[in-house]
Structure formats: structure tokens, C-alpha cells
Amino acid sequence: MYVKSPGASGPGALPCGHSSHEDREEPPVHDHRKLGRELDLFDTDPLMGAGLPYWLPDGAAVRHALEEYVRETERRAGYRHVYSPVLGKRELYEISGHWSHYSEDMFPPMDLGAEQVVLRPSLCPHHALIYRSRAHSYRELPLRMAELGGMYRSELSGVLGGLTRVRAIQLNDAHIFCTLEQVAEEARAALDLIGRAYATLGIRPARYRLSLPGAGGKYVADADMWERAAALLTEVLDASGVPYESVEGEAAFYGPKIDVQIADAAGREATLSTVQVDFHQPERFDLHYIGPDGAKHRPVMVHRSVIGSMERAVAHLIELHGGAFPAWLAPVQLVVVPISDAEVNKAAELVERAVADGLRAELAGPEQGSLGARVRAARLVPYQAVIGAREAAAGEVAPRLRDGRRPDALAAAELLRRIGALVAARSPELWDEVGELAIS
């Protein structure tokens, strides 16, 4: 059962495990900044600078697992991945329109000989150049280009906080170059991809927002472009069946967008995912493809981010799960606990086998304290394997699950097989009672 967080609206809200009756207890409010430091996921240092967090090994493991999931999901959806530099000449952003419409959020240019270079505030100009570098036929379209790339925003110090507002951002970004006739289907598929990713991650959208231009000179002046792009996104939202709101003043400077809003347990909203239609930059960069008539035609750019920035996504997941991540995301997936020194060698062998199988496993030996203390220290780890004299003699382990269940003792190889199957499937479940989980 799901209840709406205070201030949340739209088709979903945060999972809390309780019904919507007023006498039910509210979900716990987790602060990812506090948990991130307590669980050794990330931290900051004044010498690195405000808004520039660093990732500790456990946090890096969560982020790496998330990145692997995103790349695999995009690859299966027909995207091809690229890498592009985090610097660009100032002229690049003058052409894209960022310099005239977005420079207050960019870092100052750096002199490099006779040229000026800028830390990029966005990946789209680089992807436009990559597209432009080769000739394209209509037969190649839609061309789906994706990157997990760095970008930089000159955020004011007063708005920085934890992982949600930072100055160095690792963005899950993609750009689809397509014909006008393909735009609606590509935007719809992008929205569907976002929905599937949210289901896997346990994220519930607070609401969907159609972000339109507002008053002022922040936006590219092309009324026809805005009207066409907004009509296409409205068509996509209407066909999807999700409730949405139209909000003025939240569009990108070059076009309207669908924003998927998330909310924390306190009801604070943030944008995590977006789908945007862009007629502006293909024109600015003179992008084209050769149509069936042999003539040049202008493609449309669909900007799409499934889970936004790694920083904001991980911050939300920390708060959503309270640090008790799904097994496939957990920094440590299995802790092996020998009861005494006599079982340490067997335990170490099991850890070695688990790591060789691709699991993140650690040994918690007697030198770390009593059995109870070691079990409590690993309370957020999805799986514990306890080995006493009886288990060691039989080649078995006694599993303990994070939720308190204690399945019957089983062979060490069978435990690793079961955990491996659940992790590979990115299952939200901790245990498959029959051990026959099918991997698609």
C-alpha cells in the first residue's frame, strides 16, 4: 500500500508499507546527508570545495551498480554509448545558446592560449557535434546516443546540500536524433523506460509535470517551435494515461519538457527524470540527414534522462531505503560470520568463492567481537552466512536474512547460487523459497 507524502500529488507517492488511514504511523524520515556519513557512503572536504562530494568505497559500489544497470537498460533499448570531454570552447556554448541563456549557471571561462574553454553545463552540445561529425541517412534514424557523463553547474553555496544539489554532476543523459514523424514514439518509449527503471529501483513518482516557458528572456524566442514541441509532449502524456500538470516557467531554455518529480518522506519535491523535445539545437548546429528523396532534412533532438544525476538518484535511494538497499544495489551483499577461530578458514574460502561469482562479500571474524555484535554490525547487509562447527563439518552455512528470517542450513554453493540469481535478476525480494528464480 502507498500513501501520498505531504505535498505530493499525481499518480504515485513514496512507499511506506502502511495504509492510508489517518491512524497509521507515518514513514520514517531519513536524511541522506546524515545516513551517507554514518554508513560511509560519501563525504565532503573543505579543501575539495562545497558542492563537490567524494564517494567512499561503499557509496562507489552503490553508484557503480546503478551505472551498470542504466547502461544495460539503455543498451537493451537500442542506445549506443559515447564518451565526450567535460570541457568545450566558449564558442560551442555560444552556438548552442547556453552562453546567452544559461551563463549565470556556468563556471567562468578559462583562458587556454588564444582560446577560452568552459566546463560544460550540459552534454547536448557535445552530442550534437558527435552526430554532425558523420553523414546520416534516414535509414539510420532514430539514432539513440547515450552517455554517463560529467557536467558542472555554478550553484550558489546557499543551495548546496549533500548529493541533491552539487556542482559536479554525473548525468545519465541521452539524445535521440529522429525524424519529426518519429518524435512522439521516441518520447513515449523514453517515458516507458523511466517507468520500468523506477519499478526496478522501488521509486514512486510524485507527479508528472509538463514544463512550459514563462515570462522573461530566459527562453529562445521562437513561438512556432515552442508550440510544436509542447503539442508533441502533450500527445505523449495524454497517450500514456498518467495524470500531469502543466507548469509555466520550468522549461529548458530551448524547449518544453516532461519532468518526473519525486518526493522525499517530508514531501520535498525534486526533478529526477526528464523527456524534452528540441527543435532549436539541430537548427543551431545545422544538423541534417539525407531523406528518401536524396535531399537534406533537419532531425529533431529528443533529450532524455532515465534517472537524472547519479548524485540525486543515490540520495533518493538512500532516503527511500534507509540505507537497507535492495540486494543488487547493496554495498556489501553477503557477510560471512564464523562462530569461532576454527571456522575462519572455511569462512574465508566462502568469501573468496562469492567474490569470484561477482558478489560483494566480506568476512566478519571473531576478532571483530562477539557473534551478536557482528550480526548487529551487519544489520543492513541483505545476507549473512553463519558457520559453526556443525556447518563447517557438513559443508553448509546457516543463512540469516536482513528481514529477520532464518532459512534452513544449506550447502554453501547453493546459498551462492540463490543469492546470485536474485542479484542478477535485480529482484526486490531477499529470498526465493524454492530456489528456482528464472533469470530473463
Side-chain angles (χ1 to χ4, degrees), residues 121-271:
S122 175
L123 280 67
C124 42
H126 292 71
H127 288 189
L129 292 184
I130 293 173
Y131 176 89
R132 196 176 72 175
S133 69
R134 302 290 187 274
H136 299 283
S137 161
Y138 71 96
R139 294 185 179 90
E140 299 172 60
L141 305 184
L143 191 155
R144 305 180 185 101
M145 186 185 303
E147 181 175 2
L148 276 166
M151 65 181 197
Y152 299 83
R153 301 281 173 90
S154 181
E155 299 276 13
L156 297 175
S157 58
V159 301
L160 299 173
L163 296 177
T164 54
R165 292 294 290 267
V166 294
R167 288 171 171 162
I169 303 164
Q170 195 73 14
L171 188 69
N172 156 233
D173 204 11
H175 297 92
I176 304 162
F177 301 88
C178 60
T179 68
L180 181 61
E181 294 73 24
Q182 294 168 332
V183 170
E185 175 57 26
E186 289 301 309
R188 185 209 59 76
L191 200 60
D192 185 57
L193 198 63
I194 291 168
R196 296 202 304 273
Y198 280 27
T200 299
L201 293 165
I203 296 174
R204 295 278 293 183
R207 64 186 174 117
Y208 292 80
R209 184 177 74 193
L210 177 60
S211 296
L212 302 170
K218 167 184 171 181
Y219 304 99
V220 172
D222 187 332
D224 179 62
M225 178 200 79
W226 285 100
E227 186 175 335
R228 285 190 296 158
L232 284 164
L233 290 179
T234 300
E235 176 188 338
V236 169
L237 284 166
D238 288 343
S240 73
V242 298
Y244 67 93
E245 302 173 15
S246 298
V247 179
E248 293 185 356
E250 296 293 340
F253 72 83
Y254 49 78
K257 57 193 173 100
I258 297 171
D259 286 324
V260 185
Q261 300 294 103
I262 56 171
D264 63 17
R268 294 180 293 257
E269 275 197 13
T271 301

Side-chain angles (χ1 to χ4, degrees), residues 63-82:
R63 171 172 157 176
H64 184 72
L66 190 57
E67 289 175 348
E68 283 187 328
Y69 166 70
V70 168
R71 287 195 181 95
E72 179 185 323
T73 300
E74 289 175 332
R75 180 185 60 78
R76 290 174 181 269
Y79 290 82
R80 301 196 66 186
H81 291 89
V82 299

Side-chain angles (χ1 to χ4, degrees), residues 94-438:
E94 291 173 342
I95 294 171
S96 71
H98 284 84
W99 193 256
S100 57
H101 295 280
Y102 200 75
S103 58
E104 64 183 24
D105 294 302
M106 296 171 62
F107 282 97
M110 297 172 279
D111 292 326
L112 191 64
E115 299 177 341
Q116 285 191 322
V117 295
V118 182
L119 285 166
R120 68 178 175 192
S122 175
L123 280 67
C124 42
H126 292 71
H127 288 189
L129 292 184
I130 293 173
Y131 176 89
R132 196 176 72 175
S133 69
R134 302 290 187 274
H136 299 283
S137 161
Y138 71 96
R139 294 185 179 90
E140 299 172 60
L141 305 184
L143 191 155
R144 305 180 185 101
M145 186 185 303
E147 181 175 2
L148 276 166
M151 65 181 197
Y152 299 83
R153 301 281 173 90
S154 181
E155 299 276 13
L156 297 175
S157 58
V159 301
L160 299 173
L163 296 177
T164 54
R165 292 294 290 267
V166 294
R167 288 171 171 162
I169 303 164
Q170 195 73 14
L171 188 69
N172 156 233
D173 204 11
H175 297 92
I176 304 162
F177 301 88
C178 60
T179 68
L180 181 61
E181 294 73 24
Q182 294 168 332
V183 170
E185 175 57 26
E186 289 301 309
R188 185 209 59 76
L191 200 60
D192 185 57
L193 198 63
I194 291 168
R196 296 202 304 273
Y198 280 27
T200 299
L201 293 165
I203 296 174
R204 295 278 293 183
R207 64 186 174 117
Y208 292 80
R209 184 177 74 193
L210 177 60
S211 296
L212 302 170
K218 167 184 171 181
Y219 304 99
V220 172
D222 187 332
D224 179 62
M225 178 200 79
W226 285 100
E227 186 175 335
R228 285 190 296 158
L232 284 164
L233 290 179
T234 300
E235 176 188 338
V236 169
L237 284 166
D238 288 343
S240 73
V242 298
Y244 67 93
E245 302 173 15
S246 298
V247 179
E248 293 185 356
E250 296 293 340
F253 72 83
Y254 49 78
K257 57 193 173 100
I258 297 171
D259 286 324
V260 185
Q261 300 294 103
I262 56 171
D264 63 17
R268 294 180 293 257
E269 275 197 13
T271 301
L272 188 62
S273 311
T274 61
V275 180
Q276 309 171 32
V277 172
D278 181 4
F279 292 98
H280 173 71
Q281 290 190 73
E283 181 77 28
R284 299 282 290 185
F285 285 101
D286 191 26
L287 305 184
H288 61 265
Y289 65 90
I290 303 302
D293 57 358
K296 289 183 178 181
H297 297 267
R298 188 81 66 204
V300 182
M301 242 174 127
V302 177
H303 304 238
R304 181 246 66 191
S305 182
V306 173
I307 57 168
S309 74
M310 290 297 115
E311 291 79 12
R312 182 168 289 178
V314 172
H316 187 67
L317 290 170
I318 292 170
E319 297 187 353
L320 183 63
H321 299 293
F325 297 101
W328 67 274
L329 269 178
V332 179
Q333 295 162 325
L334 171 66
V335 167
V336 183
V337 187
I339 290 180
S340 69
D341 289 333
E343 294 84 45
V344 167
N345 287 342
K346 286 284 188 182
E349 289 174 7
L350 179 56
V351 169
E352 188 175 339
R353 289 169 62 185
V355 171
D357 286 351
L359 296 175
R360 296 185 287 277
E362 292 183 355
L363 176 67
E367 76 283 354
Q368 296 182 24
S370 68
L371 176 62
R374 286 178 280 155
V375 167
R376 286 192 297 275
R379 67 191 182 282
L380 295 181
V381 177
Y383 305 101
Q384 298 178 32
V386 179
I387 303 178
R390 183 172 56 187
E391 288 82 16
E396 295 182 335
V397 296
R400 291 173 180 243
L401 308 185
R402 181 173 59 201
D403 60 12
R405 284 179 288 168
R406 297 189 187 184
D408 294 337
L410 72 171
E414 175 64 9
L415 175 70
L416 295 185
R417 189 194 69 78
R418 289 194 182 205
I419 295 174
L422 289 160
V423 167
R426 297 188 176 92
S427 172
E429 303 299 329
L430 281 179
W431 197 246
D432 175 22
E433 294 294 345
V434 296
E436 295 177 353
L437 183 71

